[in-house]
Amino acid sequence: MHEWRGELLRDAILSRELLQSRVDRTLATDPANDRINNRMNGEAGGASAPFALSPDGNNTNFNTSLTQWGSAMSEADKEAIESARKQLSKDAKLPQPAKLKAPKLDLWARAHHSPFEADDTKIGDALTTYVGGDYRVDRDLLVGGLVQVDESNRGLTAGPGSIAGQAYMAGPYMAYRVTPNITVDAKTAWGVARDSAMADSASTSFATNRMLSEAGVSGSWDINKWQLSQKGAVTYVDETSTAAIPGVAGTSVDSTRLRVGPELKRQIDVGANKSIEPFVYYKKSLNMDQVGGLDLTGSQDSVGGGLTLNKPNAYQIRATPDFTETAAESIDNSVAGR
């Protein structure tokens, strides 16, 4: 009896690790806010492909939207017209490509895949998928909604067993332009999950309630051909499971994070329909879970910069080195390049 109960207690610990990793993934991915700047500024052009698939270290990101598809088709029309113009005489009259306006309604999807690794061996993976849509009411107001689906499965390195979860969450988001340079935004979502853990001969499952809320403010200013942008947001994520073991309290993980950071960039035309864009940025992330003050455990400071080389309808090359300092039991410094 004691051995069986001990195995179930270990399952409860594993379930907590599952919830914590899912909270971390939710905090690391913010697709709605990534879209707000372009949608509020009415940007619709520039995409030469209807979707984007990009690596990020060991992770992989995917995103697409109706706007991207429309922009890609418009760029393809421009290319076809220019190709025909070169083959015909100079006096030939060809139609001008239609100017694409940002649509009032846009539908989008984004996915983030990340592997779990230990001792250079893959022991599982997680796939976080978002689908959503938003409507631009007028120049200063954007409203929308999103659905998140998070699936993960991870084996154990210390013995036989695994932890797995399938989670859902949905809710609205909005953005409002307070001044020509400042925009405020917010989102909230609720959902459920079915999580399970198995170690040796014992197994257990948990029904988990999920909640997310966030409020943010961003600003953008033009300074002598440079663009300075600033973003700040407070995000709260809570995942609480019902007790599945008699006498053992339900598992709960919650986190409140404050994130701020400026970015400075400038686009420079170098001719031949090419441009380069140098940029520098700083990001600060703080844990606000501690009552009566900030908890520096897990806080991060990142500084980086780089250069983007862009040629529409052909390629975009972005080089980004950065330095990150993470405060844990000891300071952990890391340098990365992409």
Side-chain angles (χ1 to χ4, degrees):
M1 176 66 178
H2 292 293
E3 182 179 354
W4 175 81
R5 183 178 175 82
E7 290 178 348
L8 289 180
L9 284 171
R10 180 167 46 165
D11 287 343
I13 296 173
L14 294 175
S15 296
R16 180 179 177 82
E17 293 178 0
L18 174 69
L19 267 61
Q20 182 65 63
S21 63
R22 191 163 59 217
V23 165
D24 292 340
R25 288 194 300 273
T26 300
L27 287 170
T29 309
D30 199 353
N33 281 339
D34 290 343
R35 295 174 45 79
I36 285 175
N37 181 56
N38 289 341
R39 290 286 284 152
M40 291 297 287
N41 292 331
E43 297 178 7
S48 58
F51 60 87
L53 183 67
S54 60
D56 181 11
N58 292 329
N59 305 322
T60 304
N61 298 305
F62 169 85
N63 68 81
T64 186
S65 70
L66 288 182
T67 299
Q68 284 177 250
W69 280 85
S71 177
M73 288 188 288
S74 176
E75 293 295 332
D77 289 342
K78 291 180 182 178
E79 187 175 350
I81 291 173
E82 287 301 318
S83 177
R85 195 188 307 276
K86 292 178 181 179
Q87 297 178 19
L88 298 174
S89 65
K90 295 182 179 180
D91 297 330
K93 293 184 179 180
L94 295 175
Q96 294 296 322
K99 292 183 179 181
L100 182 66
K101 294 183 179 180
K104 286 279 190 177
L105 176 67
D106 193 22
L107 303 178
W108 56 271
R110 175 168 293 193
H112 177 81
H113 175 266
S114 54
F116 296 117
E117 296 181 340
D119 300 326
D120 297 326
T121 302
K122 180 181 177 182
I123 58 174
D125 54 17
L127 177 64
T128 305
T129 304
Y130 291 86
V131 293
D134 46 51
Y135 181 77
R136 195 175 178 207
V137 180
D138 56 34
R139 181 180 179 276
D140 298 325
L141 178 62
L142 179 75
V143 294
L146 60 84
V147 177
Q148 182 209 62
V149 180
D150 187 283
E151 299 177 282
S152 62
N153 187 17
R154 183 174 68 178
L156 305 181
T157 56
S162 64
I163 53 178
Q166 188 170 52
Y168 306 89
M169 188 162 55
Y173 64 90
M174 61 82 64
Y176 179 70
R177 194 195 314 270
V178 181
T179 73
N181 302 104
I182 298 176
T183 300
V184 296
D185 60 83
K187 72 169 177 284
T188 185
W190 305 267
V192 295
R194 174 61 64 180
D195 302 316
S196 63
M198 180 180 67
D200 297 325
S201 61
S203 64
T204 186
S205 62
F206 295 85
T208 303
N209 295 318
R210 313 180 67 210
M211 188 190 77
L212 163 72
S213 60
E214 180 178 284
V217 59
S218 59
S220 180
W221 298 267
D222 293 327
I223 305 173
N224 294 329
K225 298 183 180 181
W226 288 83
Q227 184 180 43
L228 173 66
S229 59
Q230 168 70 49
K231 173 70 178 180
V234 177
T235 308
Y236 174 75
V237 181
D238 177 84
E239 301 220 11
T240 301
S241 64
T242 57
I245 307 171
V248 178
T251 302
S252 179
V253 173
D254 67 312
S255 182
T256 304
R257 303 289 293 184
L258 169 65
R259 291 172 294 178
V260 296
E263 181 181 43
L264 185 64
K265 61 183 179 181
R266 178 182 177 181
Q267 184 171 327
I268 304 172
D269 186 3
V270 295
N273 200 27
K274 299 178 183 178
S275 66
I276 59 173
E277 185 179 79
F279 60 90
V280 292
Y281 63 84
Y282 170 76
K283 296 179 181 179
K284 178 74 173 181
S285 176
L286 283 174
N287 184 0
M288 299 183 66
D289 296 329
Q290 181 176 333
V291 178
L294 295 176
D295 182 6
L296 296 180
T297 303
S299 67
Q300 284 188 338
D301 292 271
S302 298
V303 59
L307 192 69
T308 300
L309 175 62
N310 183 58
K311 183 177 181 180
N313 305 319
Y315 56 80
Q316 183 182 77
I317 303 173
R318 182 179 175 93
T320 308
D322 60 61
F323 171 80
T324 300
E325 181 181 88
T326 302
E329 294 181 357
S330 59
I331 300 298
D332 180 19
N333 297 326
S334 63
V335 178
R338 300 176 182 85

